[in-house]
Amino acid sequence: KTTKHLTKDSLSVLTKIKNHVLLGMLVEKINEAEVKGINLNINITGGEIQLEENYDFLMDLNFILGNFLDNAIRHCVEAYLPIIWIDIDGTKDYVNFIIKNTFNSELRGETQRFDRGHGLKLVAEKVKKYFFMLHSTVIEEDLFIQELIIEKKV
């Protein structure tokens, strides 16, 4: 396995994430995308990203976001312009994760099936476990967009 070192800019943005499990997964997926030649842009707005330190919740969150990023990487490598955008917006009340990726719309229905496997079905089941979590999927031309909104517990 090849490792590509994250840029200073990527690392400085990621320091806003205070959950180590989430941070580790993101670093791994960012490295995987960059090794495969995918242009990856990450943006974190708002303050520090600190979520509940509940083990089961963090494992489910890692599964969900990991699945979104695995799908983004898998579909993006066949795009004419392989780009992934990760936007994380942390407010006092919510954390919003948006993962967008390009894909080759000409291959849709062939190798670019978005429902292949059980990943997104398992994501939907995990999201249902948490009343404070919402998920949406949007496909716009050659962009695939996954959004996960988490209401912070008071």
Side-chain angles (χ1 to χ4, degrees):
K1 183 174 183 178
T2 306
T3 300
K4 181 176 179 179
H5 296 288
L6 298 174
T7 65
K8 185 177 178 183
D9 291 337
S10 296
L11 289 173
S12 66
V13 167
L14 291 173
T15 60
K16 289 185 174 183
I17 298 174
K18 299 304 174 188
N19 296 94
H20 298 285
V21 174
L22 179 59
L23 177 61
M25 183 275 299
L26 285 171
V27 167
E28 175 66 25
K29 298 302 179 185
I30 290 167
N31 248 342
E32 182 181 344
E34 289 181 341
V35 164
K36 292 183 178 188
I38 297 170
N39 183 4
L40 194 131
N41 299 292
I42 183 162
N43 186 37
I44 300 176
T45 55
E48 293 180 344
I49 306 301
Q50 176 68 50
L51 295 163
E52 176 184 353
E53 286 291 339
N54 174 290
Y55 179 81
D56 290 336
F57 168 72
L58 287 176
M59 290 302 106
D60 286 342
L61 180 61
N62 264 14
F63 177 86
I64 292 166
L65 294 175
N67 183 275
F68 291 172
L69 288 165
D70 285 342
N71 287 342
I73 292 166
R74 185 177 73 236
H75 293 291
C76 197
V77 293
E78 296 178 340
Y80 294 114
L81 292 171
I83 305 171
I84 295 174
W85 295 267
I86 301 172
D87 291 312
I88 304 171
D89 183 21
T91 69
K92 182 179 74 127
D93 299 318
Y94 297 91
V95 177
N96 188 16
F97 296 91
I98 299 174
I99 298 171
K100 296 187 267 189
N101 65 278
T102 57
F103 69 96
N104 188 338
S105 58
E106 294 173 5
L107 297 177
R108 198 164 166 200
E110 293 175 26
T111 62
Q112 295 269 340
R113 288 191 50 214
F114 291 102
D115 60 348
R116 186 171 71 193
H118 299 288
L120 292 178
K121 291 175 187 167
L122 292 173
V123 162
E125 288 176 19
K126 290 191 181 294
V127 168
K128 285 180 188 176
K129 288 172 50 176
Y130 302 99
F131 68 91
F132 53 88
M133 193 180 284
L134 296 171
H135 166 245
S136 68
T137 301
V138 176
I139 299 174
E140 291 179 357
E141 297 181 22
D142 62 349
L143 276 182
F144 189 74
I145 305 163
Q146 297 282 331
E147 182 174 22
L148 184 70
I149 302 170
I150 300 171
E151 181 180 14
K152 291 182 177 177
K153 292 184 177 181
V154 180

